[in-house]
Amino acid sequence: MARNYALGNQMVFDVLKRQVSTETNVVSIGGREAVILKLLCDHVNEVVGKEYIQEKVWGKVFVSETSLTKAISNLRKSLSQFDNIACEIKTISKEGYMLILDESVSRVFIQEEQPVFEVKNIKQSRKSYLSNMKVAPYPIERNLSIRTDIPMRNIYFLLVCFSSALLASMLTAGAIVIFNKFF
């Protein structure tokens, strides 16, 4: 999967950052617009159907065609901020959209070097692990403090429950005292 796509002279679309940038200008685009632009970049100079775009962008959520039209309009507006753009989003009536990109730019995908991880087997016996441990020459004091990781809403809930129980017991005791005085 390509992360970056070249859209013109020194112009790059970064899929993860959802940004179209040059050396002097950076434009952030919305999430849906970024997905649409990625779909169009994956199918350069090919018609991408409206239904296919709606399925990939909105999934099973039913949206009107105007939502797609508005997203394409926003995307065109964002891309129009660049002077050195070598692509155009063309509407194909009753079918979909096409990203028309100059042939000299269309096969340029900017690949970032993937970090190489080397996995080593590390074996250490328990005996050698314990022999490397050092014991502090002074006693370690334990810091006793109030737990602060309890969410505040739990504390409020407990406070309300306690207050309700206290109020109910006071009312019950008062009712019993009044009942015993009069009867």
Side-chain angles (χ1 to χ4, degrees), residues 147-158:
R147 283 185 59 186
T148 59
D149 60 339
I150 300 173
M152 288 303 292
R153 64 181 170 179
N154 291 349
I155 293 173
Y156 290 132
F157 177 73
L158 290 174

Side-chain angles (χ1 to χ4, degrees), residues 100-111:
I100 299 173
L101 191 58
D102 186 26
E103 285 296 321
S104 63
V105 181
S106 66
R107 295 295 166 217
V108 177
F109 297 106
I110 302 166
Q111 296 286 341

Side-chain angles (χ1 to χ4, degrees), residues 98-153:
M98 178 189 297
L99 181 68
I100 299 173
L101 191 58
D102 186 26
E103 285 296 321
S104 63
V105 181
S106 66
R107 295 295 166 217
V108 177
F109 297 106
I110 302 166
Q111 296 286 341
E112 289 191 1
E113 298 227 0
Q114 298 294 326
V116 178
F117 295 104
E118 185 177 323
V119 178
K120 296 180 181 180
N121 286 334
I122 301 174
K123 293 183 180 178
Q124 189 172 13
S125 70
R126 185 177 183 98
K127 184 177 182 181
S128 64
Y129 175 73
L130 293 175
S131 66
N132 291 337
M133 290 181 65
K134 295 181 181 175
V135 178
Y138 50 88
I140 299 174
E141 295 179 21
R142 295 191 180 192
N143 186 8
L144 300 176
S145 61
I146 299 173
R147 283 185 59 186
T148 59
D149 60 339
I150 300 173
M152 288 303 292
R153 64 181 170 179

